[in-house]
Amino acid sequence: HSITSRSVVVRGPARAVTVARLSNGTHYFHLSDALPSQPEPAATRRTVRIYWDRSRSRRDQVATEIEQLRHYLASLRPEWIDIVSFSSGDVVAQKLYSVDAAIGHLRMFDYRGGTSLAGIDALAIDKADQCLLFTDGRSTLDAGAPFRPQCPLTIVTGSPTAATTRLATLATAAHGNLLVLGALREPT
């Protein structure tokens, strides 16, 4: 099809062209078409670090968090996943290369001891594109321990008793955000 006016020339097949002539002799036209599809940009494989609180206070609340995380990681399809688990006993880092391996790893934890972020900053691990912290925020030990993740941080909690005020402060300090799974409630 070809439509010509003094200022516009349209050539090629259009899906729908409507031309109208008004009573004053002016022509108007409406094109309905789409831009040619562009090739999809090469998918960037992201890397993810998961900070996982394996303290006793979380032992009955992690099923929902693990399921939500599984869905998120499956959609992201990261190149690798670091799981940094912590409690009052120790900090352990494990690099995994599949969503199934990461989820299986999280399901094997024993939940003991208190919450402690001490020692996390001392780990020598690769930089990740995104960090997720799963905790209830109820630090029972060394509440003032430094925690400075080297990637954008999202704090996730599914605990109905989470210390949301503390977690929001921690997220803000890391230029991140807080995601509370479940019903909204007043900050604690």
Side-chain angles (χ1 to χ4, degrees):
H1 302 315
S2 181
I3 301 171
T4 306
S5 78
R6 290 182 210 187
S7 60
V8 177
V9 175
V10 178
R11 290 195 176 100
R15 290 190 182 138
V17 178
T18 304
V19 179
R21 181 173 181 191
L22 300 178
S23 60
N24 67 3
T26 305
H27 287 86
Y28 287 92
F29 63 91
H30 173 78
L31 300 173
S32 178
D33 205 356
L35 294 172
S37 63
Q38 299 293 319
E40 294 278 328
T44 302
R45 297 292 305 266
R46 296 181 55 92
T47 55
V48 177
R49 173 158 310 115
I50 299 166
Y51 294 102
W52 192 265
D53 179 354
R54 52 185 166 75
S55 63
R56 188 176 199 279
S57 64
R58 288 182 30 84
R59 69 177 176 210
D60 297 326
Q61 67 194 22
V62 298
T64 299
E65 293 176 355
I66 288 174
E67 188 59 22
Q68 293 296 319
L69 179 60
R70 184 182 69 75
H71 287 292
Y72 173 73
L73 292 174
S75 69
L76 190 64
R77 296 182 3 224
E79 182 179 341
W80 52 260
I81 303 159
D82 268 340
I83 296 179
V84 177
S85 63
F86 59 93
S87 70
S88 59
D90 58 355
V91 176
V92 178
Q94 178 74 41
K95 184 174 284 194
L96 301 157
Y97 295 91
S98 76
V99 173
D100 290 340
I103 296 303
H105 187 72
L106 292 173
R107 287 186 171 140
M108 293 188 319
F109 288 136
D110 288 326
Y111 292 86
R112 298 180 181 160
T115 300
S116 172
L117 297 172
I120 292 177
D121 280 356
L123 291 175
I125 49 182
D126 294 332
K127 185 176 181 198
D129 295 318
Q130 182 175 8
C131 290
L132 302 168
L133 168 62
F134 289 81
T135 184
D136 59 12
R138 300 214 173 265
S139 289
T140 52
L141 303 168
D142 52 41
F147 178 64
R148 295 175 296 275
Q150 300 301 310
C151 55
L153 177 69
T154 299
I155 300 176
V156 182
T157 186
S159 171
T161 61
T164 53
T165 300
R166 180 173 187 273
L167 292 176
T169 301
L170 191 60
T172 300
H175 305 289
N177 53 56
L178 171 62
L179 175 61
V180 179
L181 303 175
L184 295 175
R185 59 190 184 286
E186 291 296 316
T188 58

